[in-house]
Amino acid sequence: MTIETGGEGRVPHFGVSVAEAPLSSSLLQVVRAHAALATAMLQRIDLVAPQELVLLFLQEKGRTAQSDIVHFLGRDRSTVTNTLQAMERADLITRTPSRVDRRTMVVALTGKGRRLCPRIREIWTELERLTFGGLTEQQRADLARALADIRRTLAAAAGDTQPARTGRPAARPTQQEPASENGIGS
């Protein structure tokens, strides 16, 4: 394994290179570079991943049980609770006990959170353009198919019986096929 670092006159490197796993190494490097760019773009609107995904999810679904957001993000409950508490402090969302089951927290957008959603979609569009703009339509289609195949293979290897996640901030994310579990900036 080699660890490549940026030095004088060198381009920053976003990962390690394992000789026995060149494709996995490249994939990790691409994911890290993508996450670094996304993080910088989200910082312009004072967000961190996966806050943008939570806001888009709530925009699509409306008031939602916190447990549904945990499922959507594919993260543990305590991590999501911390994220939601930070978003509540920033006045992006509200969390209130359910009227039906007081143990259930219901999450909703505030006006501030709702106003950020169009800007988040613009950022995702720009990130998509910057990431894949140099590819032809055919290359993009081939890459999408290859990534879907890899996702299915990894899910099967992990024993996952759930439908594979899309990894995209779809205009209509669903619980059956949620967006990337790490958000665009993780």
Side-chain angles (χ1 to χ4, degrees):
M1 171 173 38
T2 59
I3 300 173
E4 300 179 28
T5 59
E8 290 233 6
R10 293 175 68 184
V11 175
H13 193 282
F14 290 100
V16 297
S17 182
V18 179
E20 296 80 8
L23 292 176
S24 292
S25 297
S26 291
L27 181 60
L28 179 60
Q29 293 164 14
V30 167
V31 167
R32 287 181 174 177
H34 186 270
L37 179 56
T39 297
M41 294 171 80
L42 287 171
Q43 284 175 346
R44 293 188 294 213
I45 58 172
D46 296 322
L47 291 179
V48 296
Q51 292 176 341
E52 85 287 6
L53 296 178
V54 171
L55 293 174
L56 293 180
F57 182 81
L58 291 171
Q59 181 188 41
E60 293 294 328
K61 301 293 183 186
R63 293 173 48 86
T64 302
Q66 185 167 317
S67 60
D68 290 344
I69 296 171
V70 170
H71 177 75
F72 168 72
L73 292 175
R75 294 184 173 188
D76 67 85
R77 186 175 47 212
S78 63
T79 299
V80 174
T81 297
N82 289 337
T83 297
L84 295 177
Q85 287 171 341
M87 293 176 74
E88 192 172 28
R89 285 190 302 273
D91 192 36
L92 299 171
I93 62 164
T94 60
R95 294 182 324 131
T96 56
S98 166
R99 289 181 231 126
V100 176
D101 180 355
R102 303 297 281 175
R103 297 170 298 173
T104 300
M105 294 299 285
V106 177
V107 183
L109 284 174
T110 62
K112 181 179 177 182
R114 187 172 289 104
R115 286 187 298 276
L116 278 175
C117 290
R119 184 65 185 116
I120 293 167
R121 291 186 188 283
E122 290 171 7
I123 287 171
W124 269 98
T125 300
E126 178 68 3
L127 183 62
E128 183 88 355
R129 185 191 67 73
L130 292 169
T131 305
F132 302 107
L135 301 179
T136 66
E137 285 302 315
Q138 184 61 53
Q139 289 172 317
R140 291 170 79 135
D142 291 344
L143 179 59
R145 278 191 296 280
L147 290 173
D149 289 344
I150 292 165
R151 185 178 56 232
R152 279 190 295 278
T153 300
L154 291 172
D160 188 356
T161 60
Q162 298 298 314
R165 292 184 170 96
T166 66
R168 296 185 313 237
R172 306 240 184 271
T174 67
Q175 289 181 9
Q176 292 77 30
E177 200 170 276
S180 170
E181 76 178 43
N182 292 329
I184 64 174
S186 7

